[in-house]
Amino acid sequence: MKDRPTLTTSSGAPIADNQNSMTAGPFGPVLMQDFHLLEKLAHQNRERIPERTVHAKGSGAYGTLTITKDISRYTKASALQLGKKTEAFLRLSTVAGERGAADAERDVRGFALRFYTDEGNWDIVGNNTPVFFIRDGLKFPDFIHTQKRHPRTNLRSATAMWDFWSLSPESLHQVTILMSDRGLPQSYRHLNGYGSHTYSFINAEGERHWVKFHFKTMQGIRNWTNAEAAEKVAQDRETHQRDLYESIERGDFPRWRFCVQVMPESDVGKHWYNPFDLTKVWPHKDYPLIEIGVLELNRNPENYFAEVEQAALSPANIVPGIGHSPDKMLQARIYSYADAHRYRVGINADQLPVNKPRCPMHTYHADGAMRLATNPNPDAYYEPNSFGGPVENASVKEPPLKLSGNADRYNHRDGNDDYRQTGDLFRLMTNVQREQLFGNIKAAMEGVPLEIIERQLQHFFRADPAYCAGAAKALGIDFRPQMVAAE
């Protein structure tokens, strides 16, 4: 390999590790002192104006979450108590395309959900897949660069995408889903939604459980082939927007079954997989789905820009009874999403109707562009104060999270099996689904250098030899896995 320059921060300091966030122990949370992570995320959020850096093309609607099962033994969250009905807002989107992109493109779909609870806004900012391409937020700006346009050609680059994926084996699970039939949904109504990350439930006794959120479409899963999607795009670039809007207008309200997987806090470390790894699922045999309610969309926004384009959802928004986890991607998004909204919409974005909580809110935030709120108690503009200003409430404090280990940049690929669950998924596919997978991979690899293709085929082989053989055959490549050295 030729000599290459040393990667540095914007101030010129050399970077020792650009693959792993600094954490408190191998399973611990990300440390605020990781200035390289914060610089990368903050810079990415400011790369484009004014549309969203990712998820730029989207649709939104209001609805209701109704809880039908008692799960009070797991969480004290008011919105999750039996019989509770809570107003909701759901923004659905593609990930990579710009605002003018077609809806019917092969891409992950965003599933960003807000509940206007009586304890504040609770946001679940997920996707239509239970996993993601990366497990460390330090790599998020790098990954998104591969999904955007080449700086010289201004064209999408299949080479960049497959180069990154083939050098990041943790991406294989998500890549397989993306290249499967589920990578091209027919509409936003016909896909599942997932919180994807691991969150926590906290009950009235202060006990913590880990939790995964699932929203199963009651309209059924429906997908298009590449050819069918191309025909649709030729006629209408707004297929998903049109379908969602028109279905709600005619009273055909989309619905999803709201389910959770719940893991006792003490189960961490008992399985071969890390429960905080965004590239892994929790097997249902370990933690079965518990159906707890129904989400229904039943009202379209009156103004798209005001209510959908300016919607500012963030996984930082939680309520008592709901908590975060040491998931490194989630911890990065807690910062990154809120920061993106402060930049894109403004520091006072939470005062806009679509973002404003339905319950009273009391902060000491001051001034800033487009501030609408006034201070009902002008003498109490700092804290602590002697003038009746809002004060903290220790009753909503979360139980402590035990940590261990040294602060370091732990290699998230060491000892991590990134092939087992992908192989399991492949073996669940029918022959028809496998042939679609192989054909979609062939189409997506058009123009990609052979070296990168062979590197990716080696990952397919490690997941399942039949996966590799089928993809190689579709590509017309005589590939022998043993010819490629293991990494």
Side-chain angles (χ1 to χ4, degrees):
M1 182 181 294
K2 296 181 180 179
D3 291 340
R4 296 169 65 169
T6 298
L7 180 68
T8 72
T9 65
S10 297
S11 61
I15 300 299
D17 187 340
N18 191 44
Q19 310 303 317
N20 305 284
S21 295
M22 185 179 294
T23 58
F27 297 107
V30 175
L31 298 180
M32 193 68 184
Q33 71 190 51
D34 192 349
F35 62 89
H36 178 45
L37 169 67
L38 299 186
E39 177 184 288
K40 287 183 71 173
L41 295 175
H43 190 281
Q44 184 195 24
N45 282 339
R46 291 157 176 81
E47 288 179 356
R48 289 172 181 82
I49 56 173
E51 74 176 27
R52 289 169 171 85
T53 305
V54 290
H55 299 277
K57 177 76 179 293
S59 303
Y62 295 92
T64 306
L65 176 68
T66 303
I67 300 301
T68 58
K69 183 179 178 65
D70 183 4
I71 58 167
S72 57
R73 65 185 181 279
Y74 298 128
T75 178
K76 62 183 179 182
S78 173
L80 296 180
Q81 301 310 303
L82 181 63
K84 191 78 170 187
K85 294 180 181 291
T86 301
E87 181 187 2
F89 174 82
L90 176 61
R91 185 177 185 271
L92 298 136
S93 59
T94 52
V95 175
E98 299 91 352
R99 282 192 63 189
D103 289 342
E105 294 185 350
R106 183 168 297 281
D107 198 355
V108 176
R109 299 308 194 270
F111 196 92
L113 185 58
R114 166 167 291 159
F115 301 114
Y116 300 96
T117 85
D118 51 21
E119 298 176 302
N121 288 351
W122 170 32
D123 294 351
I124 302 176
V125 187
N127 289 320
N128 70 321
T129 59
V131 296
F132 197 59
F133 298 93
I134 54 177
R135 63 170 69 96
D136 192 323
L138 191 68
K139 302 308 299 176
F140 190 65
D142 298 307
F143 165 64
I144 294 302
H145 286 166
T146 73
Q147 304 300 298
K148 295 297 181 176
R149 296 181 179 271
H150 191 282
R152 183 179 184 187
T153 67
N154 197 39
L155 299 173
R156 299 282 296 279
S157 173
T159 296
M161 286 187 276
W162 287 104
D163 188 39
F164 181 89
W165 290 337
S166 67
L167 291 167
S168 308
E170 66 271 18
S171 68
L172 185 61
H173 198 169
Q174 175 73 303
V175 167
T176 301
I177 296 173
L178 177 62
M179 294 298 152
S180 75
D181 55 344
R182 294 204 180 190
L184 242 176
Q186 287 191 11
S187 80
Y188 288 134
R189 294 184 298 128
H190 295 97
L191 52 76
N192 291 337
Y194 300 90
S196 301
H197 297 287
T198 299
Y199 290 86
S200 55
F201 273 162
I202 299 163
N203 64 20
E205 286 70 45
E207 298 168 330
R208 178 187 285 109
H209 287 77
W210 303 117
V211 61
K212 294 272 196 183
F213 298 115
H214 302 249
F215 296 85
K216 301 292 190 178
T217 176
M218 298 173 70
Q219 289 71 237
I221 297 287
R222 294 183 188 175
N223 306 300
W224 277 325
T225 65
N226 285 349
E228 290 170 335
E231 183 179 346
K232 292 293 182 181
V233 172
Q235 300 168 1
D236 184 2
R237 298 178 66 80
E238 323 300 335
T239 50
H240 290 29
Q241 166 71 19
R242 191 180 312 281
D243 177 85
L244 182 65
Y245 179 85
E246 292 181 351
S247 68
I248 293 175
E249 286 297 291
R250 66 174 178 264
D252 181 12
F253 300 144
R255 306 177 85 201
W256 286 263
R257 294 185 298 113
F258 181 27
C259 306
V260 295
Q261 289 178 283
V262 179
M263 175 189 292
E265 186 175 16
S266 59
D267 276 13
V268 174
K270 292 184 177 180
H271 304 287
W272 68 267
Y273 53 89
N274 174 2
F276 310 124
D277 182 348
L278 185 56
T279 68
K280 303 290 190 296
V281 297
W282 295 357
H284 289 188
K285 65 179 176 58
D286 294 341
Y287 304 100
L289 286 183
I290 304 170
E291 184 171 343
I292 65 171
V294 175
L295 171 68
E296 177 185 271
L297 299 183
N298 48 38
R299 178 166 65 91
N300 280 313
E302 293 298 319
N303 183 283
Y304 179 88
F305 180 82
E307 300 172 79
V308 181
E309 190 61 21
Q310 293 191 120
L313 288 82
S314 168
N317 295 337
I318 56 172
V319 294
I322 307 292
H324 296 116
S325 82
D327 178 338
K328 288 196 276 190
M329 274 296 296
L330 173 60
Q331 296 218 338
R333 294 177 78 214
I334 290 169
Y335 163 77
S336 183
Y337 274 58
D339 183 58
H341 300 318
R342 285 188 287 267
Y343 166 69
R344 190 181 65 85
V345 184
I347 192 65
N348 289 305
D350 57 3
Q351 296 179 24
L352 297 172
V354 69
N355 299 320
K356 188 174 182 180
R358 303 301 189 250
C359 65
M361 61 175 179
H362 307 284
T363 76
Y364 288 95
H365 296 322
D367 306 338
M370 301 299 291
R371 183 167 182 83
L372 304 175
T374 59
N375 188 348
N377 188 352
D379 290 326
Y381 59 95
Y382 54 89
E383 201 282 329
N385 63 73
S386 304
F387 303 102
V391 295
E392 60 203 26
N393 182 351
S395 69
V396 299
K397 182 181 179 181
E398 291 188 10
L401 178 64
K402 186 177 181 179
L403 304 176
S404 64
N406 300 322
D408 199 356
R409 296 186 183 275
Y410 293 88
N411 188 341
H412 61 80
R413 297 186 183 114
D414 279 351
N416 212 319
D417 187 345
D418 288 318
Y419 303 103
R420 183 187 302 195
Q421 291 192 346
T422 304
D424 291 342
L425 175 62
F426 176 79
R427 289 182 286 274
L428 285 174
M429 294 181 181
T430 65
N431 288 334
V432 172
Q433 290 173 325
R434 291 185 186 185
E435 289 305 314
Q436 287 183 343
L437 173 67
F438 301 146
N440 293 336
I441 289 171
K442 177 181 184 297
M445 284 187 168
E446 183 70 31
V448 175
L450 181 60
E451 175 189 0
I452 294 174
I453 291 175
E454 291 189 338
R455 187 191 301 145
Q456 186 65 44
L457 287 172
Q458 183 72 22
H459 294 311
F460 295 159
F461 177 80
R462 292 176 184 170
D464 191 296
Y467 190 174
C468 174
K473 181 180 178 181
L475 289 160
I477 295 175
D478 182 16
F479 178 71
R480 293 176 176 81
Q482 64 270 21
M483 295 170 58
V484 181
E487 294 177 2

